[in-house]
């Protein structure tokens, strides 16, 4: 049982480049989330989804877009990467709002 | 805006001690509170989730309590072991609106043999 899988695990980008982070879960969870974790800031929610075909903004959505075309996948896109987006990105999923969240191991993204 | 504070920021104890980690929040209108552990270079692992209507949850050597009126939660770890060494985070989801969770910055715990 893989749980939540994030791809890639590491990436280095140049300012202005674009990329997509992929999150896949095999637990048939309805809810999926993208967070970023920065030193001294804690985890902050970027976007989330409450079901296939739905997305919603979190606390820090600017500069990111997301899509949930299939229930098991949640994609996070950076259209024009900026150094301020250097961070560790975590994906999580849960069966419902009042259910525990299950996290992936993160994607470490550096933007030069 | 919900603010979540965890005290202490770091803790080092000998094996076998009973521990209390604290989490305080500013808005008592919460939906739930979760405790997680995070190992270096890894994602978060959910330990306990306390719903707004509950006062405590227990799992093995872990017990989490919730006092909404005072804006506090505690995570009690009994008979600590070196394998408990990790960063412990609490996350508070506020009731109403978008249900966005707010995380504390964590308590870094080292249990030495």
């Amino acid at each position: 049982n893989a749980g939540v899988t994030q791809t890639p695990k590491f990436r280095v980008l140049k300012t202005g480049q674009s990329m997509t982070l992929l999150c896949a879960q095999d637990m048939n969870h309805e809810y999926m989330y993208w967070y970023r974790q920065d030193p001294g800031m804690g985890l902050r929610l970027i976007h989330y989804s409450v079901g296939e075909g739905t997305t919603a903004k979190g606390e820090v959505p600017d500069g990111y877009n997301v899509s949930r075309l299939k229930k098991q996948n949640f994609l996070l896109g950076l259209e024009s990467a900026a150094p301020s987006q250097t961070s560790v990105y975590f994906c999580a999923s849960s069966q419902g709002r009042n259910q525990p969240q299950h996290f992936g191991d993160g994607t470490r993204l550096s933007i030069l | 805006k919900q603010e979540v504070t965890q005290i202490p920021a770091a803790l080092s104890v000998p094996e076998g001690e009973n521990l209390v980690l604290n989490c305080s929040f500013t808005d008592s209108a919460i939906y739930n509170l979760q405790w997680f552990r995070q190992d270096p270079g890894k994602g978060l692992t959910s330990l306990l989730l306390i719903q707004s209507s509950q006062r405590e949850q227990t799992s093995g050597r872990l017990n989490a309590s919730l006092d909404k009126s005072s804006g506090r939660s505690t995570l009690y770890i009994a008979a600590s072991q070196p394998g408990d060494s990790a960063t412990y985070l609490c996350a508070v989801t506020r009731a109403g609106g978008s249900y966005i969770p707010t995380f504390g910055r964590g308590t870094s715990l080292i249990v030495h043999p």
Side-chain angles (χ1 to χ4, degrees), chain A residues 1-13:
Chain A
N1 189 351
V4 178
T5 303
Q6 293 184 234
T7 309
K9 297 187 185 307
F10 304 92
R11 187 73 183 268
V12 178
L13 289 179

Side-chain angles (χ1 to χ4, degrees), chain B residues 1-70:
Chain B
K1 179 184 176 183
Q2 180 74 274
E3 294 183 3
V4 179
T5 304
Q6 292 189 244
I7 295 173
L11 189 61
S12 180
V13 299
E15 182 177 5
E17 277 204 5
N18 299 324
L19 308 172
V20 175
L21 307 182
N22 297 293
C23 173
S24 61
F25 46 94
T26 54
D27 188 343
S28 61
I30 69 170
Y31 190 67
N32 61 44
L33 184 147
Q34 291 190 71
W35 282 95
F36 297 88
R37 69 173 280 167
Q38 185 175 27
D39 295 288
K42 295 292 187 179
L44 282 66
T45 299
S46 180
L47 298 173
L48 293 164
L49 182 149
I50 310 176
Q51 298 181 23
S52 176
S53 58
Q54 297 174 326
R55 294 297 298 270
E56 67 176 350
Q57 283 285 338
T58 298
S59 176
R61 294 183 294 109
L62 306 178
N63 175 275
S65 66
L66 173 64
D67 184 344
K68 288 192 300 180
S69 62
S70 65

Side-chain angles (χ1 to χ4, degrees), chain A residues 1-5 23-33 49-52 68 70-74 92-97 99-100 102:
Chain A
N1 189 351
V4 178
T5 303
C23 176
Q25 53 97 2
D26 62 3
M27 296 171 283
N28 202 35
H29 285 170
E30 292 292 334
Y31 288 62
M32 296 188 75
Y33 315 81
S49 168
V50 300
E52 182 178 314
R68 184 113 180 257
K70 293 183 179 181
K71 185 177 184 179
Q72 64 267 34
N73 295 337
F74 196 29
S93 70
S94 67
Q95 185 54 44
R97 279 189 182 134
Q99 299 298 321
H102 298 257

Side-chain angles (χ1 to χ4, degrees), chain A residues 35 37 40-43 45 48 57-59 90 97-101 103-105 108, chain B residues 1 31-32 34 36 38 41-44 46 49 51 89 98-101 103-105:
Chain A
Y35 294 91
Q37 185 174 36
M41 297 293 293
L43 269 85
L45 184 66
Y48 65 102
K57 293 181 180 180
E59 183 183 356
F90 287 101
R97 279 189 182 134
N98 231 0
Q99 299 298 321
Q101 292 188 25
F103 280 74
D105 281 342
R108 284 144 187 83
Chain B
K1 179 184 176 183
Y31 190 67
N32 61 44
Q34 291 190 71
F36 297 88
Q38 185 175 27
K42 295 292 187 179
L44 282 66
S46 180
L49 182 149
Q51 298 181 23
L89 300 108
S98 56
Y99 297 89
I100 293 175
F103 282 77
R105 297 183 183 180

